[in-house]
Amino acid sequence: MTETISSKVLIEWIGILVIFSIISAIGNVIGYHYPFMESLVGMLILCGISLAGLIIETYTPWDIPSILYISILGLLLALPISPVSDFIIYYTTRVELISLTTVLLAYAGISMGKDLGDFKKVGVKGVVVTFFVIFGTYVGSALIAQFVLMYTGMI
Amino acid sequence: MDIKNKYTPDTEDLIKSVKDYKLHFTILFAVIISEYIGIITLDFMGISIVLMPLLYSLILAVAFYLAKPVYWIKEKQSERSSAIMMLLIGPLLAKLAIASGQNIEIIFNAGPAILLQEVGNLGTIFAALPIALLLGFKRESIGMTSSICREPQMAVVIDKYGFTSPETRGFFTVFLIGTVLGTPFISLLVSILAYVLPLHPFAFGMACGIGSASMNAAAVASLSTIFPQYATQMEAFSGMANLIAMVTGMYVYIFVAMPLTEGLYKRLEPPINALLKRKKAKKESC
């Protein structure tokens, strides 16, 4: 489905991503002692890639979610043959991966607020099943990875 | 589809949320405190449990929502935060993708393992379906346990079972809990498993790529605290595994995971149901 992004939406996307960049950069200074400006540039690169992914999703006819465009774009830009890879890698390593989840989960906590009633309804049972879903997915993958890594002689 | 709107950024909410500076300052405050506390490693009976700043920021944010003095964080902010969250997944994925692109050589060497470990994602069915049935869930359990319940599977489950079906309801239960609690949970889980299971850090790293960016990041960060010497490789492997999980997720779900869950459900449901009934009867008779 092709549609056009109104300039209003585009400005809001950029607004949120800039706010996210600033908060994350401050988090990186406090938690990991990276220079603020370098972290901020790193964040703006990551947000630029996201924005590109969102725009590509809107203007391409097929039904592929933006998360795939973002992943592939990030991967290509960082490949050793990419002319901008050194620049991108230098600045994005000034952003700790985990610092982004700290900000994300702060928003998640606030957004959880309105769903607290739903959580109570689902109750402990739903939480237990969810934990087993994650546990099963993770352990299943780890066991197969170990087996194949040993078989192919990588470890 | 109105439920999809609930979980994709609502333009109205987004437009208002940029200007909601009180919300962003509150988030900044939570982040500063959380990052200041930093990573804490607790020793518990020989197992090191890694506590991540994301855990504190989640708890602080919930506390701010509930605290009466913080009157500027209300239901409206809660809705805006949901819209914002969806947008913030992008930079996280970009960061993971860059780690993969940068280390493409070691990824090629580990290619077979990264591809095949995706099959392990089906482990959820065997681990969680019996538990769900024992807890008394019926058809809901199929939606709940057939996948990690992220975006790639969402459309499929609605399409196949219908919007108001128990399967879809089950799916959204796990989706919702996983979105918020899944991330802190997996960060604790991997730090415990790293001590309990004698597997190589590479295997632990790859397994983190389960198709959810935030869970991936949290799990890798915990592992990096425990095995700092392998941090780069683990981040690269997990980023690639996550990308593959997202690309293949929908197809594996349709052609493998769903039939497998249905089959196992047919085998397990009658005996477990009988067991639960007997237990109930016993309880009533005494």
Side-chain angles (χ1 to χ4, degrees), chain A residues 3-69:
Chain A
E3 45 187 288
T4 48
I5 318 168
S6 68
S7 57
K8 212 171 175 184
V9 174
L10 194 64
I11 291 167
E12 305 313 322
W13 280 347
I14 294 172
I16 301 261
L17 290 172
V18 168
I19 292 168
F20 182 50
S21 298
I22 295 169
I23 296 177
S24 298
I26 295 174
N28 272 285
V29 173
I30 294 168
Y32 312 94
H33 309 292
Y34 292 124
F36 176 75
M37 282 317 288
E38 293 193 359
S39 281
L40 187 64
V41 173
M43 276 308 297
L44 292 174
I45 293 171
L46 296 176
C47 290
I49 294 172
S50 309
L51 194 65
L54 287 165
I55 294 171
I56 296 171
E57 183 195 18
T58 324
Y59 285 105
T60 43
W62 38 83
D63 194 18
I64 297 175
S66 60
I67 49 173
L68 286 184
Y69 292 120

Side-chain angles (χ1 to χ4, degrees), chain B residues 24 28 87 91 97 101 106 252 285:
Chain B
H24 303 301
L28 177 63
L87 203 55
I106 51 172
V252 175
S285 65

Side-chain angles (χ1 to χ4, degrees), chain B residues 274-285:
Chain B
L275 185 85
L276 289 178
K277 268 195 183 138
R278 226 175 332 167
K279 241 184 168 176
K280 211 176 163 194
K282 223 180 194 174
K283 229 181 192 173
E284 272 162 14
S285 65

